[in-house]
Amino acid sequence: MHKLAGIELGGTKTVVVLGAPGRIDERLEFPTTDPAETLGRAVEAIEGWRDDKPVDAVGIASFGPIRVSREAADYGTMLDTPKQGWAGAEVRAKVAEALACPVALDTDVNGAAMAEHRFGAGQGCETMVYLTIGTGLGGGVLVGGVPAHGMLHPEIGHVRLRRAAADRFEGACAFHGDCIEGLLSGPALAARLGTHPSRVDPENPLWEPVAHDLAELLTMLVLTVSPQRIVIGGGVAGRQPHLLPMAVARMPALLGGYLRDCTRERLAGMVVPPLLGDDAGPMGALLLAAKAFEGHVVTA
């Protein structure tokens, strides 16, 4: 029986698991600090689970931007990221060197998308998007059930979209100001709403421009990726479940009757919360580990 480990490396917290695709046997969570401490704790946890047998492979589902091409000399290296101290961190190489086993790496949102596609809300979908709205805003895209890669990986959080006419919030992204991450991430919403988003009543009109921005993002994804399912996870969506139906209700008007299939009812079935909850990322990491062990790494 293969012994697999997964690391979900998030901007705020890291989750390390032992198990198999669809099953988590051991789990450890801790804050994501600097690369040396964080990766060191992850390796230490995995080594502690060895029971006289080292792990056969490890999968890493990481925040980014990070190099996901196996052909690149800096495969698995963190690129320019707002997470202080992480730019240039050799994430995959450090774990592979310490554990001496195959290690596969992809983005955290691609990992979550893979898990939801295999075990959760994306089952049966050839094309799907997994969005997470939390400390940042990211999106994983699966086409034919496989993560979309190209020059890099999708950076959905940093696109710019049409703003609500009366909305003057300047945005909170250090790179782009009012890109979608700068409008909808947890820190952006705290600045925009004047308090933590979980403390704002669902009936508060301050949610109106927020719902508009989310609807613009979802509409853009429908028009560009043509997904069968858009799964939305993360702390913001989880704590404010009213936000998804508010945004979906605005999508038909934004589409302007262009796509007759995109009725409000159809869209409500397309834009859904995750079935796996907080397990999506770690389960995606275990799927990556399984592919690494089989020698068919999905990040190729």
Side-chain angles (χ1 to χ4, degrees):
M1 187 175 181
H2 308 324
K3 191 171 187 178
L4 305 176
I7 302 171
E8 182 190 22
L9 184 60
T12 301
K13 72 175 181 179
T14 295
V15 182
V16 188
V17 295
L18 187 74
R23 190 188 78 239
I24 294 175
D25 300 324
E26 302 281 356
R27 183 189 192 107
L28 177 67
E29 299 185 12
F30 50 86
T32 302
T33 55
D34 61 78
E37 180 181 11
T38 303
L39 298 176
R41 289 189 68 176
V43 167
E44 183 180 354
I46 294 170
E47 287 179 328
W49 292 328
R50 60 185 299 156
D51 294 328
D52 298 324
K53 182 183 184 299
V55 294
D56 294 302
V58 177
I60 304 174
S62 174
F63 72 93
I66 193 165
R67 188 72 69 197
V68 293
S69 171
R70 292 178 63 209
E71 316 306 320
D74 58 349
Y75 170 45
T77 298
M78 195 71 68
L79 304 177
D80 292 334
T81 175
K83 180 71 173 173
Q84 188 173 4
W86 280 84
E90 297 177 337
V91 175
R92 179 189 171 277
K94 294 297 183 185
V95 174
E97 179 182 348
L99 295 173
C101 68
V103 177
L105 177 143
D106 210 313
T107 64
D108 50 357
V109 282
N110 273 346
M114 291 168 58
E116 288 289 341
H117 177 262
R118 177 83 172 270
F119 305 111
Q123 292 180 77
C125 297
E126 283 293 299
T127 302
M128 65 165 286
V129 176
Y130 181 94
L131 290 177
T132 182
I133 308 176
T135 305
L137 191 151
V141 178
L142 301 189
V143 179
V146 177
H149 292 162
M151 179 186 70
L152 188 58
H153 49 73
E155 279 289 341
I156 292 170
H158 293 279
V159 299
R160 284 192 174 96
L161 300 168
R162 293 178 299 180
R163 302 286 303 279
D167 188 12
R168 296 292 179 264
F169 179 60
E170 294 183 356
C173 174
F175 290 91
H176 311 116
D178 66 346
C179 63
I180 204 70
E181 179 172 284
L183 296 173
L184 293 181
S185 68
L189 287 177
R192 192 173 187 175
L193 301 171
T195 186
H196 193 281
S198 64
R199 301 192 188 102
V200 181
D201 188 274
E203 302 299 322
N204 194 311
L206 288 174
W207 287 113
E208 293 293 330
V210 176
H212 167 89
D213 291 341
L214 180 55
E216 284 278 0
L217 172 60
L218 297 174
T219 302
M220 181 275 291
L221 291 171
V222 168
L223 292 169
T224 56
V225 181
S226 195
Q228 294 153 298
R229 194 72 35 81
I230 302 175
V231 181
I232 304 184
V236 171
R239 295 187 186 96
Q240 293 290 355
H242 72 284
L243 194 53
L244 262 63
M246 280 183 74
V248 169
R250 288 158 173 75
M251 291 176 68
L254 293 176
L255 287 164
Y258 180 62
L259 299 176
R260 67 173 64 181
D261 291 340
C262 289
T263 62
R264 181 168 175 174
E265 293 74 23
R266 182 77 175 269
L267 290 167
M270 178 191 296
V271 182
V272 298
L275 286 184
L276 300 179
D278 292 340
D279 285 343
M283 280 198 180
L286 287 170
L287 284 169
L288 287 166
K291 292 295 184 182
F293 180 75
E294 293 164 5
H296 301 291
V297 181
V298 297
T299 52

